[in-house]
Each structure stands twice: as C-alpha cells, then as structure tokens.
C-alpha cells in the first residue's frame, strides 16, 4: 500500500478512524503514506516486509497486532504483472516471480493475519 490505489485505500480508512499498518518492501514509499495519514491526524505505522517470505510476513503482522491491536480488516493490494506477453517472449523466472507474489503473497498475508483477527478463534 505504498502508492496509487493502495495509498488511497489506506488514507480513506484512516480518515474513517482506522489505525492503519502500511506494508510493502519499499520503506520510503510506505513511510510517505504514513506521513500523509499522520498529517491528516490519523494513526499509522510503516512495516517493511517481503510478501513472499512467510516468516517476514508473520513477523510484520505480529508487530502490527502489538502496536495497533487486533486486525479488523486485511487489504491485500499487492501484485506483480511483469511476466505478460507471448509465451516465447516471457522470461520464465519473471513469470514465476509474479506467481509467487500474487498467489503466495496472498496466502502468506491471510495466514499471518488470521491469528490476530478479532473474529478468529
């Protein structure tokens, strides 16, 4: 949720009173989003993580729950779309990275947030 649609989602949730954790790999971008939220009077933290590394995502969600409380909403706005085009032009490693980010990343985020969900258990 470092920029674009993700940033707007984070800002709008903060405007409605949510405490927001902004996660992405790019520290400067998430810190900028947090700064915008705080500039409008909201509460947010920036947490750098690699969405395809389960242990890193688990650690990130532990920090989120510790600093902000239960996870009421999880918005997965990550995605990579670099491996498109005719199959003969597609680099298999780039395509596989997209698969990891888009599928494994979603699984990792959901799995890691579930223990901190108010309704879980």
């Amino acid at each position: 949720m470092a920029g674009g649609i993700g940033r707007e989602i984070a800002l709008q949730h903060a405007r409605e009173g949510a405490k927001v954790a902004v996660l992405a790999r790019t520290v400067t971008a998430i810190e900028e989003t947090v700064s915008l939220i705080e500039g409008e009077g909201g509460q947010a933290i920036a947490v750098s993580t690699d969405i395809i590394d389960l242990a890193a995502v688990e650690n990130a969600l532990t920090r989120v729950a510790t600093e902000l409380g239960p996870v009421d909403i999880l918005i997965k706005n990550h995605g990579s779309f670099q491996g498109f085009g005719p199959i003969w032009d597609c680099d298999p490693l780039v395509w596989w990275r997209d698969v990891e980010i888009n599928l494994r990343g979603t699984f990792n985020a959901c799995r890691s947030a579930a223990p901190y969900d108010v309704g879980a258990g």
Side-chain angles (χ1 to χ4, degrees):
M1 295 179 42
I5 294 171
R7 175 174 284 163
E8 290 304 316
I9 292 169
L11 284 165
Q12 188 58 41
H13 276 82
R15 287 177 187 129
E16 294 177 14
K19 293 182 269 184
V20 177
V22 184
L23 284 73
R25 286 179 303 170
T26 311
V27 174
T28 54
I30 58 177
E31 287 176 346
E32 185 178 315
T33 300
V34 167
S35 178
L36 290 169
I37 290 169
E38 291 174 342
E40 293 184 10
Q43 183 180 357
I45 61 171
V47 182
S48 178
T49 192
D50 181 352
I51 197 75
I52 64 171
D53 179 343
L54 179 58
V57 178
E58 288 173 341
N59 290 335
L61 267 292
T62 297
R63 179 176 167 208
V64 169
T66 300
E67 293 186 31
L68 299 179
V71 177
D72 295 321
I73 300 170
L74 176 66
I75 298 169
K76 300 166 300 307
N77 188 54
H78 66 275
S80 180
F81 306 98
Q82 305 301 311
F84 286 104
I87 197 163
W88 53 88
D89 287 338
C90 234
D91 180 328
L93 296 177
V94 172
W95 177 85
W96 186 247
R97 178 83 173 159
D98 284 351
V99 170
E100 286 189 309
I101 291 169
N102 298 334
L103 297 180
R104 182 185 280 178
T106 298
F107 175 85
N108 288 348
C110 292
R111 184 179 193 283
S112 298
Y116 303 105
D117 184 350
V118 170

